[in-house]
Amino acid sequence: MIKKLFIKDQTRGLPFDAELMPAKNRKFEETVVLVHNFGGSRRTVLRHARLLNDLGFDCVRFDLIFHQAKPQQKLPITADLRFGVRHVWANQIESLLNAISGRKILYTFSMPSGAAFEAVAKRQGRDVAGIVADSGPFLQLHKCVWNLYQHEYDVKSRVLRAGFTAASLVLWGLSYKKQMKEALEEIPRSFPVLSIRGWNDPLVPVSAIDEFFAQQNHLDLETVALPDGSHLNGLRDFPMDYVPRVEKFLVRVSTPIAQVATVDHR
């Protein structure tokens, strides 16, 4: 049965809701927090949530603030006056991690993965067992955002595409590469990360993900390469390659729930 959670967002002090999906047969102490892609929603990661439940994990889904391209509605400014969507997302993810008891695992998708790493860095990895990052995080932002408007939003005009790309990069927040390098340094040594990338991804080339992780040399980084994979389609289209690697990683970083032995008093 899905349980509603109401979290106080550190950015504006306003509550947002999340959904706890408990496993029918919970096998691990950690709760997996799913961070959907830009343009997606909690519904987008339902397939992954069901997989996690089947593997024995409770999981939490929620909607990111600014998960659609509507900057005219409000500006992405945090309570401590940092400007940028990624900082708003990082605060939201941090708020959720703080509200959930026990150890957590983050399962992130595409661009918001960078904000998830920022949230983990702010907490210096406290009570987070690891991150599964699918199709992100990445650098080469100009190229990747351009690809988003070309392939995902189908903006035909190169002039409009250039304008949208420039505006999006400003809203994302400046000095991303420098600040992410500093954030990665705050994450503990040997922190486990599973990076999943599709070689045929039209939005995020593998080199952009590699460039992100090249900023560090202390994380326990595993990679999953899907030679025919596109953007975020690994579980749907290549489950035989995708699921075993994800399961192996999750089991490695998780804590099995102790089984209570039954005593025969006869």
Side-chain angles (χ1 to χ4, degrees), residues 48-164:
H48 293 80
R50 288 171 174 163
L51 168 65
L52 293 165
N53 280 173
D54 289 343
L55 294 177
F57 291 92
D58 289 353
C59 61
V60 171
R61 300 181 299 148
F62 69 107
D63 291 333
L64 287 166
I65 303 168
F66 297 105
H67 65 282
Q68 299 289 344
K70 297 178 181 179
Q72 71 277 11
Q73 294 182 354
K74 48 193 171 183
L75 290 175
I77 303 175
T78 66
D80 56 357
L81 302 182
R82 289 183 301 164
F83 182 89
V85 170
R86 75 173 189 272
H87 300 308
V88 174
W89 286 345
N91 277 10
Q92 189 181 7
I93 295 166
E94 184 184 10
S95 300
L96 193 53
L97 293 174
N98 290 340
I100 299 171
S101 61
R103 281 162 57 85
K104 278 78 65 172
I105 296 169
L106 280 166
Y107 203 132
T108 70
F109 299 88
S110 196
M111 197 169 195
S113 298
F117 275 85
E118 181 178 328
V120 171
K122 289 171 67 178
R123 304 169 86 255
Q124 296 184 316
R126 177 171 53 85
D127 69 21
V128 179
I131 296 179
V132 179
D134 189 332
S135 303
F138 49 84
L139 295 183
Q140 302 180 23
L141 288 183
H142 289 82
K143 181 177 183 179
C144 294
V145 175
W146 175 276
N147 291 342
L148 173 72
Y149 283 109
Q150 179 178 7
H151 298 289
E152 190 70 19
Y153 294 123
D154 197 26
V155 177
K156 302 295 187 184
S157 168
R158 293 180 64 87
V159 174
L160 281 177
R161 207 183 307 153
F164 289 151

Side-chain angles (χ1 to χ4, degrees), residues 194-199 222-227 241-242 245-246:
L194 181 67
S195 173
I196 304 169
R197 57 281 294 273
W199 286 1
E222 294 183 35
T223 62
V224 178
L226 301 174
D241 298 317
Y242 190 100
R245 291 296 305 274
V246 169

Side-chain angles (χ1 to χ4, degrees), residues 160-198:
L160 281 177
R161 207 183 307 153
F164 289 151
T165 297
S168 296
L169 292 174
V170 171
L171 290 171
W172 177 241
L174 303 178
S175 302
Y176 175 57
K177 183 175 182 178
K178 176 179 179 293
Q179 291 177 4
M180 280 310 311
K181 180 175 176 58
E182 294 169 352
L184 287 171
E185 292 172 355
E186 296 298 318
I187 299 177
R189 178 167 293 278
S190 299
F191 181 86
V193 177
L194 181 67
S195 173
I196 304 169
R197 57 281 294 273

